[in-house]
mmCIF file of all heavy atoms in Angstrom:
data_model
loop_
_atom_site.group_PDB
_atom_site.id
_atom_site.type_symbol
_atom_site.label_atom_id
_atom_site.label_comp_id
_atom_site.label_asym_id
_atom_site.label_seq_id
_atom_site.Cartn_x
_atom_site.Cartn_y
_atom_site.Cartn_z
ATOM 1 N N ARG Y 334 -28.147 12.144 -8.526
ATOM 2 C CA ARG Y 334 -27.834 12.035 -7.102
ATOM 3 C C ARG Y 334 -29.081 12.055 -6.220
ATOM 4 O O ARG Y 334 -29.224 11.221 -5.321
ATOM 5 C CB ARG Y 334 -26.935 13.188 -6.673
ATOM 6 C CG ARG Y 334 -25.505 13.047 -7.109
ATOM 7 C CD ARG Y 334 -24.748 14.271 -6.660
ATOM 8 N NE ARG Y 334 -23.327 14.143 -6.926
ATOM 9 C CZ ARG Y 334 -22.442 15.058 -6.549
ATOM 10 N NH1 ARG Y 334 -22.830 16.134 -5.906
ATOM 11 N NH2 ARG Y 334 -21.175 14.891 -6.805
ATOM 12 N N VAL Y 335 -29.964 13.014 -6.478
ATOM 13 C CA VAL Y 335 -31.111 13.182 -5.581
ATOM 14 C C VAL Y 335 -32.073 12.003 -5.719
ATOM 15 O O VAL Y 335 -32.558 11.465 -4.725
ATOM 16 C CB VAL Y 335 -31.823 14.517 -5.887
ATOM 17 C CG1 VAL Y 335 -33.050 14.677 -4.995
ATOM 18 C CG2 VAL Y 335 -30.866 15.671 -5.684
ATOM 19 N N LYS Y 336 -32.299 11.592 -6.964
ATOM 20 C CA LYS Y 336 -33.199 10.450 -7.165
ATOM 21 C C LYS Y 336 -32.622 9.190 -6.540
ATOM 22 O O LYS Y 336 -33.352 8.356 -6.016
ATOM 23 C CB LYS Y 336 -33.433 10.230 -8.665
ATOM 24 C CG LYS Y 336 -34.509 11.136 -9.234
ATOM 25 C CD LYS Y 336 -34.897 10.668 -10.633
ATOM 26 C CE LYS Y 336 -35.575 11.787 -11.386
ATOM 27 N NZ LYS Y 336 -35.199 11.771 -12.805
ATOM 28 N N VAL Y 337 -31.305 9.055 -6.616
ATOM 29 C CA VAL Y 337 -30.666 7.877 -6.022
ATOM 30 C C VAL Y 337 -30.891 7.866 -4.508
ATOM 31 O O VAL Y 337 -31.154 6.823 -3.910
ATOM 32 C CB VAL Y 337 -29.172 7.821 -6.378
ATOM 33 C CG1 VAL Y 337 -28.433 6.815 -5.510
ATOM 34 C CG2 VAL Y 337 -28.999 7.467 -7.849
ATOM 35 N N ILE Y 338 -30.815 9.037 -3.879
ATOM 36 C CA ILE Y 338 -31.071 9.092 -2.435
ATOM 37 C C ILE Y 338 -32.492 8.617 -2.143
ATOM 38 O O ILE Y 338 -32.723 7.806 -1.244
ATOM 39 C CB ILE Y 338 -30.866 10.531 -1.898
ATOM 40 C CG1 ILE Y 338 -29.407 10.949 -2.038
ATOM 41 C CG2 ILE Y 338 -31.308 10.637 -0.439
ATOM 42 C CD1 ILE Y 338 -29.128 12.396 -1.690
ATOM 43 N N GLU Y 339 -33.436 9.118 -2.937
ATOM 44 C CA GLU Y 339 -34.836 8.713 -2.704
ATOM 45 C C GLU Y 339 -35.014 7.220 -2.902
ATOM 46 O O GLU Y 339 -35.691 6.546 -2.115
ATOM 47 C CB GLU Y 339 -35.761 9.478 -3.667
ATOM 48 C CG GLU Y 339 -36.015 10.903 -3.213
ATOM 49 C CD GLU Y 339 -36.501 11.781 -4.357
ATOM 50 O OE1 GLU Y 339 -36.963 11.230 -5.383
ATOM 51 O OE2 GLU Y 339 -36.405 13.012 -4.221
ATOM 52 N N GLU Y 340 -34.382 6.693 -3.940
ATOM 53 C CA GLU Y 340 -34.536 5.266 -4.207
ATOM 54 C C GLU Y 340 -33.841 4.419 -3.147
ATOM 55 O O GLU Y 340 -34.315 3.341 -2.801
ATOM 56 C CB GLU Y 340 -33.992 4.916 -5.599
ATOM 57 C CG GLU Y 340 -34.864 5.387 -6.751
ATOM 58 C CD GLU Y 340 -36.285 4.824 -6.686
ATOM 59 O OE1 GLU Y 340 -36.460 3.698 -6.199
ATOM 60 O OE2 GLU Y 340 -37.220 5.534 -7.112
ATOM 61 N N LEU Y 341 -32.712 4.934 -2.650
ATOM 62 C CA LEU Y 341 -32.011 4.185 -1.601
ATOM 63 C C LEU Y 341 -32.913 3.992 -0.389
ATOM 64 O O LEU Y 341 -32.912 2.953 0.254
ATOM 65 C CB LEU Y 341 -30.735 4.934 -1.182
ATOM 66 C CG LEU Y 341 -29.493 4.648 -2.007
ATOM 67 C CD1 LEU Y 341 -28.374 5.603 -1.626
ATOM 68 C CD2 LEU Y 341 -29.022 3.211 -1.807
ATOM 69 N N ARG Y 342 -33.695 5.024 -0.106
ATOM 70 C CA ARG Y 342 -34.583 4.955 1.054
ATOM 71 C C ARG Y 342 -35.593 3.821 0.897
ATOM 72 O O ARG Y 342 -36.013 3.226 1.870
ATOM 73 C CB ARG Y 342 -35.278 6.309 1.226
ATOM 74 C CG ARG Y 342 -35.660 6.610 2.644
ATOM 75 C CD ARG Y 342 -36.002 8.065 2.831
ATOM 76 N NE ARG Y 342 -34.809 8.887 2.931
ATOM 77 C CZ ARG Y 342 -34.675 10.074 2.353
ATOM 78 N NH1 ARG Y 342 -35.647 10.583 1.628
ATOM 79 N NH2 ARG Y 342 -33.568 10.755 2.493
ATOM 80 N N LYS Y 343 -35.956 3.544 -0.366
ATOM 81 C CA LYS Y 343 -36.959 2.498 -0.608
ATOM 82 C C LYS Y 343 -36.315 1.118 -0.782
ATOM 83 O O LYS Y 343 -36.973 0.182 -1.228
ATOM 84 C CB LYS Y 343 -37.735 2.833 -1.884
ATOM 85 C CG LYS Y 343 -38.553 4.102 -1.781
ATOM 86 C CD LYS Y 343 -39.270 4.358 -3.106
ATOM 87 C CE LYS Y 343 -39.440 5.838 -3.359
ATOM 88 N NZ LYS Y 343 -39.518 6.131 -4.803
ATOM 89 N N THR Y 344 -35.032 1.020 -0.456
ATOM 90 C CA THR Y 344 -34.307 -0.227 -0.728
ATOM 91 C C THR Y 344 -34.956 -1.439 -0.079
ATOM 92 O O THR Y 344 -35.379 -1.399 1.084
ATOM 93 C CB THR Y 344 -32.861 -0.088 -0.217
ATOM 94 O OG1 THR Y 344 -32.178 0.812 -1.063
ATOM 95 C CG2 THR Y 344 -32.141 -1.422 -0.196
ATOM 96 N N LYS Y 345 -35.046 -2.489 -0.872
ATOM 97 C CA LYS Y 345 -35.350 -3.806 -0.303
ATOM 98 C C LYS Y 345 -34.493 -4.764 -1.098
ATOM 99 O O LYS Y 345 -34.856 -5.214 -2.174
ATOM 100 C CB LYS Y 345 -36.838 -4.127 -0.451
ATOM 101 C CG LYS Y 345 -37.225 -5.369 0.322
ATOM 102 C CD LYS Y 345 -38.713 -5.491 0.533
ATOM 103 C CE LYS Y 345 -38.956 -6.529 1.589
ATOM 104 N NZ LYS Y 345 -39.527 -7.725 1.178
#
Side-chain angles (χ1 to χ4, degrees):
Chain Y
R334 284 178 174 184
V335 178
K336 277 192 200 143
V337 166
I338 295 173
E339 282 160 18
E340 287 302 328
L341 274 171
R342 208 165 281 139
K343 295 179 211 153
T344 289
K345 189 163 194 250

